Amino acid sequence: MFLDRQSLWRHLRQWEKLAAEAEGPFRLRFGTLFVADADSAREILVDSADRYIQQSGFFRLGPEPLPQALRTAASHELLRALSHHDLHALFDVDDAIHELSDSRGHLRHQRWGVRLVRRYFAPVIAHHRHTALNSLVDAYVESSVIADDVVGRVVTPSHRSVRRIRAGFAEQLRRLPARETEAEAAATLATTATDADADVRDLVDVVLGLRGELTPADRAQLLQRLILSMVGFTGVALEWVVLLGIQHGYNTPAVRPDQVRSLVRETLRLYPTAWRLVREAATDHEIRGVPVSKGEHVMIGTHAIHRSGAVWDRPPDFDPSRWERLTDDQRRAFLPFGKGAEMCPANGFALKALEHLGHLILHGYRGTVRIRKRTPHARTLLAPPAGWTRLTRSG
């Protein structure tokens, strides 16, 4: 929808204005029902989720989500993989910033954050795997996550290259041994002194370990979606955190971790990377008196909910201090990762990564920002305006 346009920011702002004037859900001019209040969003995502087709942006094959049991298992295994690595200690931020800066020391917006986060999560994506697998990860990040989901180069060969990369993932996964079944793992643990061999170390382990009749191509698709969740959303949000931190005086050796924590949340309120959530109705029903037909798609405008004057004081203003005194209504209206069973799997670890990396950069570097366009860039993800950030080591 609208993805033949370079940026959707103008439409987002129009929808925010319409939402401020409406008393509940309303239809956009092309017919889609637009939800811009937290109560209706919660009804769709949590309270009446059974009225909508089960949906997961990441644990799915094509349009079909994996069964709930598999999604739960995958989420659990993902957390196990993350727990294996001390990313704080492993990551060399100086080396990453040096590698990603151009000859003038510039970090180009809509790119550098994704590339840096790719490096940060490298041990969790394909831990000590064959170089061919990591090369495919890099190719996918460049040709799909950045070129398509962030920048939006629609009329390019990127879609063909993504299919080729998926086939490469499938071939590499086919060559790897399948993870042990639970019974086999238990037998292994009974005869060994360590459980290291049975542990889940990376996303490759996660997709290889999923039970069921999944082909290598299926597992390759799931791997791609998990990379997008881990790298794409977090990387774009990091650019926003650093950009706003520099613009609003957080770029100082005196900045505290708790200040960056509030900065991250205020950034995600104003510029939620996932600016909308879409659900398909499974039955005829109503939302706040508005009829919804089976098969109809309902759009939850995260950006509009996060900027609602009915919930937030001075909603357009950048004010991280508001997170020191949140009301219950404001907590309910904060949806950067969605809510309920289909919440984005990046919830939790992405926030920790943003807080750690944001503090590492804002505390350790002096920063300069230059903006070439005044408006954010809204495609699949909501990214900063075109321009660049330059970071120089403090001291």
Side-chain angles (χ1 to χ4, degrees):
M1 179 178 56
F2 286 140
L3 290 185
D4 58 338
R5 290 168 170 78
Q6 187 65 15
S7 175
L8 305 176
W9 180 249
R10 179 172 60 87
H11 296 284
L12 268 63
R13 297 295 287 156
Q14 289 175 346
W15 298 341
E16 288 173 20
K17 292 177 182 178
L18 291 172
E21 299 168 357
E23 296 182 358
F26 60 94
R27 296 195 182 279
L28 301 174
R29 61 180 178 80
F30 47 86
T32 297
L33 188 64
F34 189 81
V35 171
D37 67 278
D39 289 337
S40 297
R42 181 179 177 83
E43 181 178 337
I44 294 168
L45 299 173
V46 181
D47 300 334
S48 300
D50 58 344
R51 293 177 173 175
Y52 296 85
I53 294 175
Q54 287 190 345
Q55 181 172 329
S56 173
F58 307 100
F59 296 130
R60 64 183 173 90
L61 298 174
E64 298 298 324
L66 293 179
Q68 181 63 56
L70 274 184
R71 299 203 302 276
T72 300
S75 296
H76 175 71
E77 297 289 80
L78 177 57
L79 294 178
R80 287 183 63 196
L82 286 159
S83 70
H84 254 293
H85 306 280
D86 184 356
L87 298 176
H88 290 22
L90 291 170
F91 185 65
D92 187 334
V93 66
D94 294 328
D95 185 57
I97 289 174
H98 175 74
E99 283 187 11
L100 297 174
S101 300
D102 64 17
S103 59
R104 294 174 294 176
H106 296 170
L107 297 165
R108 289 186 64 191
H109 295 168
Q110 304 170 17
R111 293 164 178 79
W112 77 262
V114 172
R115 290 168 178 161
L116 186 143
V117 170
R118 155 66 177 121
R119 286 163 171 75
Y120 181 76
F121 282 120
V124 185
I125 294 173
H127 176 62
H128 290 169
R129 299 285 179 174
H130 191 277
T131 54
L133 195 53
N134 274 299
S135 294
L136 287 166
V137 172
D138 289 332
Y140 174 67
V141 169
E142 293 295 323
S143 66
S144 180
V145 178
I146 291 176
D148 190 9
D149 296 305
V150 181
V151 178
R153 297 174 183 163
V154 181
V155 189
T156 69
S158 64
H159 296 288
R160 293 193 295 275
S161 67
V162 168
R163 290 194 292 271
R164 185 170 62 252
I165 292 166
R166 181 175 297 176
F169 275 133
E171 178 60 27
Q172 292 299 318
L173 294 175
R174 190 179 292 111
R175 296 177 181 180
L176 294 173
R179 290 259 323 283
E180 294 176 310
T181 65
E182 292 179 5
E184 290 169 338
T188 300
L189 290 177
T191 58
T192 58
T194 176
D195 66 349
D197 291 338
D199 284 332
V200 179
R201 297 175 180 272
D202 55 31
L203 297 188
V204 177
D205 286 332
V206 172
V207 300
L208 285 176
L210 288 175
R211 308 292 180 241
E213 297 298 323
L214 297 174
T215 67
D218 293 337
R219 297 179 195 275
Q221 184 179 161
L222 292 171
L223 179 60
Q224 286 179 307
R225 295 190 187 284
L226 286 170
I227 293 169
L228 171 60
S229 174
M230 182 172 282
V231 172
F233 286 75
T234 315
V236 170
L238 178 65
E239 286 192 17
W240 277 117
V241 168
V242 172
L243 186 155
L244 293 172
I246 292 171
Q247 290 181 331
H248 293 274
Y250 287 76
N251 183 214
T252 166
V255 69
R256 303 188 309 271
D258 62 295
Q259 292 176 308
V260 175
R261 182 179 185 276
S262 296
L263 166 65
V264 167
R265 281 153 179 77
E266 181 68 349
T267 299
L268 291 174
R269 183 190 71 83
L270 278 173
Y271 302 104
T273 309
W275 55 267
R276 87 291 191 213
L277 303 167
V278 179
R279 294 293 183 269
E280 181 180 346
T283 63
D284 294 343
H285 63 281
E286 290 187 353
I287 303 175
R288 308 288 166 174
V290 179
V292 180
S293 300
K294 178 180 178 179
E296 181 177 351
H297 287 86
V298 177
M299 183 190 298
I300 300 170
T302 311
H303 63 96
I305 295 173
H306 283 189
R307 292 167 174 255
S308 170
V311 178
W312 307 94
D313 299 328
R314 299 170 289 105
D317 293 355
F318 178 82
D319 180 15
S321 67
R322 73 173 80 238
W323 294 91
E324 301 168 7
R325 53 181 189 278
L326 278 193
T327 67
D328 289 341
D329 286 343
Q330 289 168 342
R331 290 188 182 89
R332 287 166 59 88
F334 186 56
L335 305 169
F337 300 97
K339 290 283 186 184
E342 311 306 337
M343 181 180 289
C344 174
N347 181 45
F349 71 78
L351 284 174
K352 291 179 181 178
L354 289 170
E355 291 169 16
H356 171 62
L357 291 172
H359 184 261
L360 206 61
I361 293 171
L362 295 171
H363 175 269
Y365 290 83
R366 297 191 307 274
T368 305
V369 173
R370 291 290 182 270
I371 302 297
R372 289 197 293 109
K373 290 188 177 181
R374 292 185 301 172
T375 59
H377 185 75
R379 289 278 302 171
T380 303
L381 307 179
L382 178 56
W388 52 263
T389 293
R390 182 171 184 175
L391 298 173
T392 308
R393 252 301 173 188
S394 298

